[in-house]
Every structure is written in C-alpha cells, then in structure tokens.
Amino acid sequence: MSSERLAVTGVGLCTPLGPDPVAAIDGGGTAVRSRADLAGLPDDRSAEVERIDLRPWLKRRKDKKLMARAAQLALAAAGSAIGDWPGDRAHLGLFLGVGREAGDEGESEAALLVAHRRGRMDVACVAGPCRDLYPPLLPLKTLPNMALAHISIHLDVCGENGAWAGSAGAGMTALRAGAWAVLEGRCPAALVGAADSLANGGAIRDRFRIGGAPPPPVGEAGVMLLVEPEAVALARSAQIHGWLRLPPLSTVGRRPAHHAALGDCGAADGALAVALAILRREASAVVSAADPGHPALPVEISVDPGPSCYTPARHGENA
Amino acid sequence: MSRRVVVTGYGMVTPLGVGVARTWEGVVAGRSGVGPVRRFDASALPVTFAAEAPDPGGDEGADLKLRLASAAIREALEMSGPIEGPRTGVCVGSEIGRPDLRMVAERLGTREVPTPEELGAMDPAAPTRLAADLAGATGPSSTISTACTSSSQAVGEGLLKIRRGDVDAMLVGGVDVLVDPLMITGFAKLGALSERNEDPAAASRPFDLGRDGFVLGEGAGFLVIEAEQTAADRGSTVLAELSGFGCSCNAYRITDSPPDGRGAYQSMSLALADAGLPPEAIGYINAHGTSTPMNDPSEATGIQRAFGDHPVPVSSTKSMMGHLVAACGAVEAILSVLAIREGVLPPTINLDHPDPRCDLQHVRNTAQAARIDHAMTNAFGFGGSNGSLVFSRRT
C-alpha cells in the first residue's frame, strides 16, 4: 500500500451513454437496446457506443479500419484524458486493462466457412480457398494489446506500460500498476484505465457459436485517467478532478454497479466505476473489482469540494 | 530501500525438450529444434515447418497449452519448494484469448456445442488459474497480454510487486501454442514467417544477411522469484538476482520496428538504471532477435545506442527454438540466468553472414565459455511493446 495520493488531472470516457454518463445513470437511464442484427441469437440486447469519432487523435484516418472496437474506445478515452498535458510523452506511462481477444466483425467468416469439410478443419482447404480469403491483418486488429499499441502510436506515448487481459480485475490491476509506477518515479505521469467491448456483433456471434456467451446485457467502454504526482500537479496549477490512492490489498470496496445502464463492460468495469465516482464528485470512495476466481483489487478515490472541471469530449455518445 | 528479488526456481518446455536441462543442453550444443510440422499435414501450407514443443503429457486434459504450462510450472516449483499462501502471487504472459478459429470454423458447419474444457482452454487467464492452483498461490494474480513481450513483462511485474511489498513470492512466466494451420496461414500471409521449407533447421537465422522471417514456435517457461529475505528464511537455493526491469513503447507502427531502435534503447536503458548498473557491467545479452528483416537491425541499433563503446556479447536463442511468442521472454530469461550460472554464452546458430546493419559482438554459431556477473534479456512485441530484464550473479 501507499499513503501518498496522486492527482487525477485528466479523465476520458467513451461509454454507451456518452462521455458524461453520470446524470443519465443516476436518473435511471439505460443504453441497453435490442439490436436487429442480433435477432435470432439467444439474447439480442447490448449497450453500444453509437459513434466513436477518433479524428482529433488519428495520425492517419485509415488506421481506424485497423482497430477493433476496444482499441477505438481506448484511443478515444486516452485522447480525452491526456488533453493538453505539457509533459514529455516519451516517458509517459500507459497501463491498460483489456479483455480477451475480440471476435472479428465478420471479416474472417468467409475464410472460416471454406476452411472445413464435413464439419472438420481441412488443411488443404486452409491452404487453398481459405488462405485467399483470410484477411492478413486480422490478427493485428484483434490482439488485445493492440489497444495499447494504437494509443502509443497515435498519442506518441512511449513510457513504461502494460496490458492486462481479463475482466474487471484487469482494469484494476492496470490502475494500480500505473499508480505505483508514478509513485515510484518510474514515469512522470501515466495514463491508466481500461477498454473492452463485449458488445460488438462479431464477438457476440462468436461467443454464441462456441457456447460461451457472457450473461446479458453486454456493453462496452473506454476509460482512462491521467495521474501525476500531487506536487507536480499543484506546481503547474493543473485542473484536478480528484485524488487516487492505493489502499492495502485487503481493503474491501464497493463493486461496479452500472450494468443496468451500460451493460457489462468487461475489463473496463472496475476502471469505469472509479471514473464514475470521480465524476459524481464523491468525497471519498473505495472501489474493488476482480476477475472470477481471483482476489479483488481496491482503488481509493477522493474529490475536493467544489465544482467539476470535467469537460466531456464529444467523441461518442448515443444521446 | 526496496527489497531485493531473487530467482529460486525455474522450469520450461521448449522445442528443444521437456525440462530446463534438455533445453540448455540443446542450446549449448547449438542444436535446432525446428523441423517439418508433425502435428498435422502441413504440406499444402505456404510454410511447412515450425518449432513444435514435445508434448509433456500430464493430466491437463486436451489442451496442449495447459500441459506445457503445467510441466514448466511443476519443474519450477519442484526446484523452489513450496511457496503457497496469500503472500504469493501469479503473473502469466498469455496472448491467446480469441475464440479458437478452428472451433469457430467447425461450429459454423456443425452447430455442435464445445465441451467446458474446450471453452476454458480458450480463456487467456486459464494458464494463470492453473499456475495459481499448482502453486497454492492465493495472492494477486494477473495475465499480461502484450504479444511477444508478454512473459518478459510478467517477470517484470513480479519483480515490482515483490519490491513494493504486495507479496513475498511470485510464480511468473508465460506459455504459447501457435503452431496451427490458421496461424501459419495468417502469419505467412503477413510475410512474417520464414519460407525456407527446404531447410527448416537453417530457417531461423537472426542477424544473418539471409534471414527471411521468424519461425513459429511454442513452449512455456516459468520462474519462482521471491524476496531475498523470504528465500533466506525458507532456506531456498538462490539461483540469481532479478535486478532490473525496463519497458517502453515504440509509438511507431503496428508491425514494424523503428529503424533508430529507440524503443529498444529506452527499454534497455531503463532496465540498466533500475538495476543500478553501467552498460559495461552487462556480460551477455540474450537478444529478441526474431530473424525478421526489420526487427534485427532495429534491435542492433538499440543495443549500440544503449551500450555505446562497450561491446557486449549478443546472441539470439530463437535461432534454435524459433519464436515462442508469449513464452519467449520467460524462457530466454531462464537461459540468461543459466548463462551466468554455467559460465556459457549460448550461440546464434545459422549466423553465416552477419548483416552489417547488425554490427554486434555476436556469439556466432558456437557457444562460448565466459564468466559473467550480469546478463540482459530483451523481448519486443507486435504493436511496439518492449521489455528488458537484468539478472545478476548472487554468491
């Protein structure tokens, strides 16, 4: 544990209820909808970000086509969180919770359909028609760490980093690792958070096909916080959204409670609960989240009295 | 003052054999573990060879990945002795979490329902849970997924967690199994694989002018690391100190490495600083050295920038084992510890005509005897993640 606190000087959110979802959630709103393209599956509901506008941050617009949903959500959140941070991005840390590898958006379906004969994979078919149809860049789109890669590339972030795969605990691991890295001086500041999409059509179809559908409703979100040492933030008169502290691992906090409004956002769930507590301007809160079968990881936030300095970026929302 | 961290156990399964001793014997002999694919008929594929790991058997069901991990973990735990309890954590590098494409393809045709074991094996955290179960570790556990850097970062995370006092011991490592018709097809279509079908043993040739891509491999490597005091209290045999970790992002391109080697340089420099060592202290670098046209000169440039006028012996053991992807960082970390302990530097085989753009002090084709006190190992991943670890002799 550490008794020191870090300043949260940037918040970036990309959720199905927009970049500032607190009022809608607290008012009983929900982004969970039935989807026509999922008709016929055992469950046709999801909470999805309608539009993710990455134009403010993309170096090459066509690169968006190389990004899975989670990578797009991550970049949108990171771009918002980093804002006009004046430090040296060559050493800015980047710590991200990511989900399991996303299903593709149907790009591989034609290739996979011709890869089997009489219900079994046939290597001759793979080598022939499947090979011709298989999208060569698909693995690079769907690998979980590509979210980290795209943030690094488009925002020029080069410092200490990590991508933790899993569900809600992965994002909390990333938050804690990034906070530690800043507290220890391994990087001057860090982008910490998570992004995941359980709601894209390809992922849902794949999971139903293989029988491993997550419990509905499924959601998606990108959540990033920019954290830096308290003294540094105060010295540069940064806008401070709140404070982040690492309580002992044994500390029990409250669990994410936004599923009815935003769906299960997978690896982003824990980080999203932390960010929502900051945006609600809670004086103090401990949030915990865990992957199934693993110990829960806590993060403590606090917010000073006064008005919010959060200015939501208009990069994606359903409203 | 942060706690010192030592290695007290390791285990591996690689294309050179089951167990650390067999792999080390093969590495020192300069033996290639690359050959024609045996697990299925690959003759129609563009690449017909790979570095397949031997199946170690065991009771982990149908999934080879879990059997490889289990064998490596059990070997590491046998060496370290018991480490169970809430003060022990687990961190595993594992990059596969996608729906198994073979299974998806078959389900498209048959609508069969997979078994729970098949579903569980596709979870990227499955090896992490296995590791925690086998070690009896109930402390923090996590799965790192940064492609080829995954297990190097897993080792690094273990180091940091122990230093911070979150835990006293960690089981860290990685596992990967990618020798599969669809993976070979996909990577070949990307142009990333060597297509030297006529001579597989010569296909992985890092830093050589004739290199044409990497060789897909598979395996597992795990280490037990613990606080120095914990190891002393347990009466453990200390194999080496894990003295430094650094990592960086390239911020360059998804598949290419920057020609100026900046990410590699930053990662190595941070690891040296973390270990509190000057460049000249390092006696050996186990390079990432994938044998791709772009990685090797980029890494060589990074090494030149980080080590300046202090030439250090460098080799890539991928020349013998192929690219173990998420497992390579941990396996090569163990080989770096062995280089210190055994006084032998593994070679880069197939290095017949060194690329002038990779102007390094190569350990070329034959292992070298050398007493060294500190070794570095690099792992760099698709997407531009870099990790470097430093191990040091403990007397």
Side-chain angles (χ1 to χ4, degrees), chain A residues 131 134 163-165 184 210 294, chain B residues 114 141 143 145 157 164 189:
Chain A
R131 181 189 178 191
Y134 198 77
W164 286 265
E184 292 170 346
I210 62 176
H294 296 305
Chain B
S141 68
T143 306
S145 185
E157 169 154 323
R164 291 164 182 161
K189 205 161 176 181

Side-chain angles (χ1 to χ4, degrees), chain B residues 332-343:
Chain B
E332 292 163 14
I334 296 167
L335 297 177
S336 301
V337 172
L338 285 161
I340 295 170
R341 291 181 58 78
E342 302 295 328

Side-chain angles (χ1 to χ4, degrees), chain B residues 233-311:
Chain B
D233 293 345
R234 294 198 313 118
S236 307
T237 300
V238 172
L239 304 167
E241 179 179 0
L242 173 52
S243 49
F245 169 58
C247 65
S248 66
C249 285
N250 287 338
Y252 185 61
R253 293 177 185 162
I254 292 294
T255 53
D256 302 343
S257 312
D260 63 4
R262 58 179 181 251
Y265 160 74
Q266 185 167 330
S267 169
M268 288 184 273
S269 299
L270 288 171
L272 284 171
D274 191 47
L277 293 171
E280 58 268 29
I282 300 296
Y284 167 64
I285 298 174
N286 188 304
H288 187 54
T290 55
S291 182
T292 59
M294 271 186 283
N295 169 81
D296 295 358
S298 174
E299 182 174 13
T301 302
I303 291 172
Q304 290 159 358
R305 288 178 63 182
F307 288 85
D309 295 332
H310 308 289

Side-chain angles (χ1 to χ4, degrees), chain A residues 265-314:
Chain A
C265 299
D269 257 357
L272 183 54
V274 171
L276 292 175
I278 292 173
L279 295 189
R280 277 195 187 95
R281 308 209 52 76
E282 297 187 30
S284 177
V286 177
V287 175
S288 294
D291 283 4
H294 296 305
L297 297 168
V299 168
E300 181 182 340
I301 66 99
S302 57
V303 175
D304 295 336
S308 171
C309 56
Y310 178 61
T311 307
R314 315 309 293 181

